[in-house]
Amino acid sequence: MNRVSTNIFKRADGLPASGLSRRRMLAGTAGVAALGALAACSDSSSSSSSDNLSSNRDGSMSKYGVGDQFKATTPLDFSIMMLSNPGYPYNPNWPFWSDLKSMTNVSFTPTVIPLSDYNQKRSVMVSAGNAPMIIPKTYHPAEEAYIAGGAILPVSDYLDLMPNFKDRVAKWNLQGDLDQLREADGKFYVLPGLHQDVWVDYSIAVRTDILQKLNISTPQTWDDVHTMLRTMKAAYPNQYPFSDRWSSTPPGPGANALLQTIGAAFGTQAGWTYQHSTWDASSGAFVYTGAMDQYKQMVTYLNTLVSEKLMDPESFTQSDDQAKQKFANGQSFVISANAQEVVNSYRKNIAHLPGATVQKIPVPMGPAGATKVGVRTENGVMVSAKARDSKNFVAMMQLIDWLWYSDAGQMFCKWGVQGTTYTGSVNDGSFKLEPDVTWAGVNPGGSKNLQVTYGFFNGVFAYGGSTKFLDSQFTPEELTFQTAMNARQTLPLPPPHPLSADDREQATLWETSLLDYVNQQTLQFILGRRPLSQWDQYVSELKGRNSDQYIELVNKAYTNFKKNHGS
């Protein structure tokens, strides 16, 4: 997938990265005032929904608050949808399950679904009304497909049962982030992972030995990157210094990771984070992203790199393996990256090149300045509508609250049991895995894999958390990167603008045609197959594909939501 926006462990699980990221939008400074007003959009309906639960409290704790250890008053079992990752496939004998039962008095009856089938089978089961009660690993806006049929609960009605969730929202000022999940009725239908900060992971990796050899400073801006590539090209005239990857995944073609990264620097959205509408603070309205001046500036920049033979034109269509092979062979020196890929792929692949070194650099800045953009919510949990009628409903919501949103629950789900899989504390920086436990390159000589052997960090639980909690999974090198990115200003989010069911159906029809055309023409402009002098003609062509009508729907949705749920 921007502390959340490009979560390497989310994308590493193999699920489409674009589901969440395409919902992230940019906003100008005027958005602050809008969000301030909309922060008052509290879940006023939650009290009435949560109060009438006298027959649904079996097994629940009568006193359950922030920081309390949840433990059901009687043994309980809840059905859950369980994704099985091929890297650490589901195992009913994982200590995770027995430890969880010992701590909470709760067992799960899982419906185990392979990673490759998860989204499709979830859709079939939820739509048919036979899904488990707890449906995790759901990326907004996937839940919107099930709202009209009444298959899932408006979970925002039941936040009074979730003190840890509410506490994090209040302490971390997450109301504006939650507003991005709301539907036209003012409610949201997925309990998202909650992060304290926006997490930036994706950037570019550079051969640092080449920088040293050519006496090039680490680039700070995209103009610096341009200069760096020119210097590399002069020294290696028969090579493309920059050959990129992540182009073959939806909504490609077009180097989706790179366009996401550069787009944010230019003040627009592209690639993985492309969203048809962008909030324009100066006009107080949404505009069509693919027609923005900022989008044109981004395209012009990339066209310059290609036309000067600084960037491999195959960057926008080649497979990941092809791009990685070119980097491994020394044919290129720059490639898009996240922390995991640098450690697990790039360094290993160039080890045969004498003296070769590589590092992910802080995201180069552009016209938008020292900023970062993204929501602090992540994939989360849907709750089946039938769960509301269970006599154990309150206990189930308390369990979800503890397991996904308490410090202790998240620590258990991610790192396991103190003294068995780890020692120390994330709060004081003393955390470390036990010597015989290995995870993602940590303690590579360990005989027990945290995920495979124990079932912790299993890709279903513990998304989100405090900055210190997230930092516990980073190497010193990555912490340096995060420190640089955390020093940047986080841009405000756009005001909520959820479409009604009828308008969403119409908008979806337009979006398909528009997205295909924006991607197609973006690629043509970048590669020089269509001259940039035809930009105005391209904008007119977007209008012919209903971009203006689409934006009218979005602005109507914004106005209606503000009127019905704002202050």
Side-chain angles (χ1 to χ4, degrees), residues 3-4 6-9 195 197-202 338-340 343 360 414-415 426 429 431-432 439-442 457 466-483 485-486:
R3 232 149 231 307
V4 170
T6 49
N7 187 334
I8 60 176
F9 299 103
H195 284 261
D197 295 313
V198 171
W199 169 20
V200 178
D201 182 20
Y202 283 72
N338 61 34
Q340 188 167 255
V343 174
K360 184 182 72 167
K414 190 169 188 173
W415 294 124
V426 299
F431 167 85
K432 62 181 179 179
W439 171 82
V442 179
F457 222 138
S466 69
T467 298
K468 287 184 177 180
F469 182 65
L470 180 64
D471 286 348
S472 68
Q473 70 192 44
F474 294 143
T475 63
E477 175 186 352
E478 180 62 16
L479 284 174
T480 299
F481 174 90
Q482 293 297 327
T483 298
M485 297 308 301
N486 288 341

Side-chain angles (χ1 to χ4, degrees), residues 8 35 45 58-59 68 71 77 114 165 193 215 238 267 272 313 327 330 335 356 359 399 423-424 496 522 552:
I8 60 176
L35 285 177
S45 59
D58 285 14
D68 289 343
K71 190 161 189 176
D77 186 280
F165 183 98
N215 196 28
N238 297 323
W272 274 332
F327 191 79
I335 188 170
Q359 185 173 344
L399 172 72
T423 59
T522 296
E552 286 177 9

Side-chain angles (χ1 to χ4, degrees), residues 30-48:
V32 174
L35 285 177
L38 285 165
C41 293
S42 61
D43 300 287
S44 57
S45 59
S46 63
S47 296
S48 58

Side-chain angles (χ1 to χ4, degrees), residues 191-211:
L191 290 165
L194 301 176
H195 284 261
Q196 183 177 2
D197 295 313
V198 171
W199 169 20
V200 178
D201 182 20
Y202 283 72
S203 183
I204 57 173
V206 180
R207 279 277 300 277
T208 46
D209 60 308
I210 300 297
L211 294 185

Side-chain angles (χ1 to χ4, degrees), residues 516-526 530 538 541:
D516 288 345
Y517 199 69
V518 168
N519 283 329
Q520 178 192 96
Q521 296 308 306
T522 296
L523 183 61
Q524 297 302 304
F525 282 127
I526 290 173
R530 182 172 188 179
Y538 152 74
E541 291 161 1

Side-chain angles (χ1 to χ4, degrees), residues 2 5 10 17-26 139-144 147 177-184 190 260 269 271-277 286 373-375 377 493-499 504 508 511 550 554:
N2 342 19
S5 67
K10 176 186 68 192
S18 55
L20 172 67
S21 62
R22 280 202 298 258
R23 296 289 297 190
R24 302 185 187 108
M25 301 182 183
L26 305 178
Y139 291 91
H140 179 71
E143 78 280 7
E144 291 179 349
I147 294 174
D177 298 76
L178 289 182
D179 285 344
Q180 306 300 305
L181 307 179
R182 296 185 188 277
E183 301 302 325
V190 62
Q260 167 187 285
Q269 305 163 101
W272 274 332
T273 54
Y274 185 78
Q275 178 73 265
H276 291 280
S277 59
F286 288 89
V373 62
V375 291
T377 56
L493 293 165
H497 49 283
L499 299 174
R504 188 187 306 125
T508 300
E511 284 174 343
Y550 178 88
V554 172

Side-chain angles (χ1 to χ4, degrees), residues 305-343:
L305 298 188
V306 172
S307 65
E308 293 183 5
K309 301 187 185 305
L310 306 177
M311 187 169 190
D312 184 355
E314 293 181 356
S315 295
F316 302 91
T317 53
Q318 68 188 349
S319 70
D320 283 6
D321 286 344
Q322 289 173 312
K324 291 165 68 176
Q325 190 63 42
K326 291 175 181 178
F327 191 79
N329 291 340
Q331 293 174 254
S332 66
F333 308 129
V334 182
I335 188 170
S336 285
N338 61 34
Q340 188 167 255
E341 284 297 301
V342 171
V343 174

